[in-house]
Structure formats: C-alpha cells, structure tokens
Amino acid sequence: NDNKQGLMEFDDWVVKFIDTEHFQRLRSIKQLGTFYYVYPGASHNRFEHSLGVAHLAHSLAKRIGCDEKDLKCVTLAALCHDLGHGPFSHLFEEFIKKTRTDRIKWKHEEASIMMFNDILKKYKGIAGDLSEDDKQLIRDLITGNNTGDRPPYLFDIVSNQRNSIDVDKFDYLARDCYYLGMKSEFDFSRLMNYSRVSKDQIVYEYKESYNIYELFHTRYSLHKKAYKHFVGRAIDYMIIDALVEADSVLKISDSINNAKDYLKMDDTILNRIVCDNNPNLKKSKKIIKRIRRRKLYKFVDAYLVPKKFKEKFERVKIIVLTEKKIIKYRSNGAELEKDDVIVDIFNLNYGNKVENPIDKVEFYDKNQPNDGIYYIELQVSYLTPKQYEELNIRIFTRNRRKVI
C-alpha cells in the first residue's frame, strides 16, 4: 500500500526479483541523497520509487496492448532500472567521475546492468521463461538504447530518450513533491489514460499538451527549489570529499567493478567510515563530523548568467572560471588556497536543453484516429516561457573563516 500509487499488486515473477539482496539494498539509499539533510520529510528511498515505477510500467504496458513477454520485460526493466545507484544516489556518480579518470563517463545505469546480470547468475531460474533476447531487451530498456529490432514504443515507457516522458518521471515527480511538501499540477494518471501507440511510438491526446507542459515545469521547479538547493549542494561536496579521503583505505571507487563489492555500497558508508579505527581515515571522519555538527561548507555567492552572455560563457567557462582563476582575485590581503574554493556550474532546463520540450512530443486527435500531429507552442499557451534553459554559477568555500 503506497502513499502515492495506492495498492500495488505484483506477480510472483516480480516478487522474486524484489526479494533479492540486490533490490533490498535500495532500502538504504535515499532517493534525494543529501537533501534529506535539508528537507527532513524527504526520507524516501530508491526502494519504494522502484516499486512505483514497476507498477506504473506494468499498467501502461497493459494499457497499450503489450504481449505477455514484452509486459514482463518492461516491468522488470522498470523494477531494476535503479539497481545501480550508489550511496546518496546521483552524488555517487560525481564521486566516481572525480576518482576514476578511467571511468569518467560512468553512470548508474551501467551498474544497474551489472547488478541485474548478477541476479540472473546467483538466482538460477529467476527469469523463468525469458529468453536471452528477452534479457537483453531488459538491459536495453534500462539504458533506453534499442540495440535490437524490438518495437520502438517499448522504449518510451521506462527510460524515454526520445522526449523524456516516461513512468520513471511520473513516479519520482509525484513522490518527491509529496515528501518535500511541494505541490504539482501534473497529473500522470490522466496522461496515461489518454495515451496510445501510433506510428510505433506512444502518443497522447492533444488536450493533454498543457498537462505535459506541467510535467516539465514541475521537473524544473524541483531542480530549482530542491535538487539544487545550495545547502544540499554544500553537503554534496562535503560527502564527496569524505569519500575521496576514504577511498585509498576502503576502495570505494573500485566497487563499480563487481557486484559483490557494490552490494556493500549504500548510505551507511558514512557510519562505516566513522566506526573504522584506521588512522588514515582521520580527514574523512573530520568532514563527516562537521556535517553532523552543521559546520558546513559555506555558500559564498551565486550568479544567474543572462541569456545574452550564456552562449559566450559556455564556450569559455573551462578556461575562465576555475578555482585557480578565482583565488587570483583575492583582496584585502586575503590568503586563499585552491582547496578553499569550489566552483559549481550547472544548467537548469525543461528537459530538452534550450528547446521547448513539447516540440518533441507527438499528439493525436481522436477525431482523426490514424493521424499523429505535432502540437506547436502557441497552441499550448501564450504564457509558456520563451527561454527553456538557464546557466547558474555558485561559489562555495571549504573554509568558513575565509568568508567576510
């Protein structure tokens, strides 16, 4: 009985995957990572989110008429799509990029495939009547890349690379808003009700165009107000630093190489560091204790780049805006070191970079059942934004005493 999806029923072949140590690990990984430190209500985990996505994927696949085999594959892909998240969810990807220069493009989906493969290996017969092609389809659905000749509309359900409308977003937008105490006007159940397959893709009735706009607006609002909250980002950098300092001892970054080690990776990693008596963990422990005493890295300043400068800045930001460059501008005799400064540069958008996300969505008119139509911006509303992406710069310092 889920507070967002209501009563969710799963067949035995789904429950077998739920009752594995790989999936149960998700109970110990916060959905919003460090932002539980900012929003005390945001205590939900990847576990319940994955159940919700599987429930919605199964419902949508049945609605659009998938056969039994495709229904199983879509449901299991939805269930397993987040198996690869590490401690504090997306934060772990930043940590890997910082420590593993040989795996700079690593993402959690890669670990999801590794964990899925390990389930198949450890639990013989768990896949039932699924063929090797079916198992590959599940892997492809997790990544969103169709490597075979399966119907394209299947790839619109779990991880939609075409227009970003998928059940993963349906669940996390509703669930995150609920636990953050925020409101959303997006109605995923209504959108699913007005969906169907046309021209090998999932399309929606044209009157749902503004509902879809609300989906992308909700996504942007959550990033603006919660996912990029400056206190949460400060704690992100603290935990990344703590993991980096502990990596030589605990070999945390090596865990992505095999499922056995990765099974140990969850949010309890901080307690493992604090409770370990190895003297080489002293620096890491100090950072963690700072978090617990709320002696956080200090937010210094922020800048929202105007549109007229955004394109130019993005071309030169790697050269111009670095920690090394910033410390050259010290004044009043301030003694700044490179490690004092953290530069945080990020884009916020509506899911399609600078473009209107609605432009990639195809709609249908029930009065013309065989024709898909592209719905243009002006037909949605005259009050939608004219700019769909913004560039943000933030500066933090590890040394609070350096701020005056």
Side-chain angles (χ1 to χ4, degrees):
N1 187 23
D2 183 62
N3 53 21
K4 290 314 299 176
Q5 307 301 347
L7 185 63
M8 302 186 294
E9 297 184 2
F10 297 103
D11 293 316
D12 288 344
W13 47 269
V14 182
V15 175
K16 288 178 181 178
F17 279 82
I18 295 173
D19 293 341
T20 62
E21 57 184 334
H22 303 68
F23 191 82
Q24 294 292 320
R25 182 184 72 96
L26 299 181
R27 290 182 183 271
S28 300
I29 298 176
K30 288 285 184 288
Q31 173 81 4
L32 297 186
T34 60
F35 294 92
Y36 177 50
Y37 288 90
V38 182
Y39 295 90
S43 58
H44 54 309
N45 303 306
R46 288 283 161 183
F47 179 84
E48 50 264 40
H49 164 64
S50 297
L51 292 178
V53 177
H55 169 73
L56 292 179
H58 187 269
S59 300
L60 183 56
K62 284 186 70 174
R63 170 174 175 76
I64 62 176
C66 289
D67 62 34
E68 193 64 27
K69 273 291 186 70
D70 287 345
L71 183 67
K72 281 189 176 184
C73 292
V74 167
T75 303
L76 289 177
L79 186 76
C80 299
H81 80 289
D82 273 351
L83 280 180
H85 268 298
F88 302 97
S89 292
H90 291 287
L91 176 149
F92 195 71
E93 289 174 314
E94 293 186 60
F95 161 72
I96 292 298
K97 288 176 182 177
K98 188 169 184 176
T99 54
R100 293 288 300 268
T101 55
D102 60 323
R103 303 292 295 277
I104 197 71
K105 294 183 179 180
W106 183 89
K107 291 187 177 181
H108 74 272
E109 288 88 354
E110 189 175 331
S112 294
I113 301 300
M114 177 181 72
M115 299 296 269
F116 174 72
N117 290 340
D118 200 58
I119 290 176
L120 298 179
K121 180 180 177 182
K122 282 189 175 180
Y123 300 88
K124 302 297 183 183
I126 193 171
D129 61 348
L130 296 182
S131 67
E132 289 303 317
D133 285 344
D134 294 329
K135 295 171 188 175
Q136 185 56 45
L137 173 60
I138 293 172
R139 299 182 189 101
D140 290 346
L141 289 169
I142 289 173
T143 62
N145 299 315
N146 190 352
T147 63
D149 57 356
R150 296 297 186 117
Y153 65 83
L154 294 177
F155 293 82
D156 290 349
I157 300 174
V158 179
S159 179
N160 190 337
Q161 303 297 310
R162 185 171 56 84
N163 59 30
S164 296
I165 301 175
D166 51 47
V167 294
D168 180 30
K169 281 189 180 62
F170 295 174
D171 185 86
Y172 83 68
L173 292 178
R175 193 173 301 278
D176 291 358
C177 282
Y178 177 85
Y179 282 100
L180 289 166
M182 298 178 180
K183 302 295 183 183
S184 170
E185 297 301 321
F186 170 59
D187 186 346
F188 66 83
S189 59
R190 178 184 171 90
L191 186 63
M192 289 172 63
N193 190 57
Y194 288 101
S195 64
R196 73 183 191 195
V197 173
S198 176
K199 299 179 180 178
D200 250 348
Q201 60 182 285
I202 296 179
V203 298
Y204 307 93
E205 189 167 351
Y206 71 89
K207 65 182 181 181
E208 290 305 297
S209 57
Y210 195 76
N211 190 23
I212 292 177
Y213 169 78
E214 285 294 343
L215 178 157
F216 292 110
H217 179 254
T218 299
R219 177 187 177 277
Y220 166 77
S221 295
L222 283 171
H223 276 274
K224 186 76 169 178
K225 294 188 288 185
Y227 304 157
K228 296 296 184 181
H229 192 286
F230 69 95
V231 176
R233 286 301 287 161
I235 299 173
D236 276 351
Y237 285 113
M238 295 185 77
I239 292 180
I240 290 171
D241 284 351
L243 295 180
V244 169
E245 291 293 341
D247 196 41
S248 61
V249 177
L250 301 180
K251 308 298 181 185
I252 301 168
S253 62
D254 290 343
S255 66
I256 65 173
N257 295 332
N258 65 84
K260 182 180 178 181
D261 291 336
Y262 206 68
L263 277 169
K264 303 172 186 176
M265 291 294 112
D266 57 36
D267 291 1
T268 62
I269 188 70
L270 298 189
N271 285 336
R272 286 169 54 194
I273 293 171
V274 170
C275 296
D276 197 306
N277 293 321
N278 192 312
N280 294 320
L281 292 174
K282 185 177 180 180
K283 287 185 179 179
S284 183
K285 288 181 181 181
K286 186 177 180 180
I287 296 171
I288 295 169
K289 288 178 180 178
R290 279 185 62 179
I291 296 172
R292 293 177 175 179
R293 294 172 56 214
R294 214 65 179 180
K295 304 297 182 182
L296 307 178
Y297 291 172
K298 183 71 174 175
F299 169 70
V300 179
D301 207 351
Y303 182 63
L304 182 60
V305 180
K307 183 179 180 180
K308 61 182 179 179
F309 297 135
K310 179 176 176 291
E311 184 178 340
K312 180 179 180 181
F313 178 85
E314 288 179 328
R315 289 199 306 266
V316 298
K317 64 182 177 183
I318 297 175
I319 302 171
V320 173
L321 203 65
T322 64
E323 290 82 357
K324 188 176 180 180
K325 290 279 186 179
I326 286 176
I327 63 174
K328 287 185 176 181
Y329 290 88
R330 53 181 175 247
S331 60
N332 299 325
E335 292 297 328
L336 294 179
E337 305 294 335
K338 183 180 177 183
D339 286 345
D340 290 334
V341 183
I342 298 172
V343 179
D344 187 28
I345 304 173
F346 58 93
N347 283 306
L348 292 183
N349 55 52
Y350 274 57
N352 190 26
K353 296 185 178 180
V354 299
E355 303 297 329
N356 182 352
I358 298 294
D359 292 343
K360 285 195 172 183
V361 183
E362 190 162 316
F363 296 87
Y364 70 87
D365 184 342
K366 65 181 179 181
N367 297 318
Q368 302 177 37
N370 295 320
D371 294 326
I373 59 170
Y374 279 97
Y375 214 65
I376 63 173
E377 178 185 3
L378 293 180
Q379 291 175 293
V380 178
S381 171
Y382 286 105
L383 302 180
T384 57
K386 300 306 176 188
Q387 182 176 340
Y388 290 93
E389 185 175 66
E390 64 184 35
L391 178 63
N392 296 263
I393 308 168
R394 287 177 179 166
I395 308 299
F396 297 86
T397 180
R398 293 180 173 89
N399 189 339
R400 297 173 65 88
R401 293 191 298 273
K402 296 294 178 78
V403 180
I404 53 176

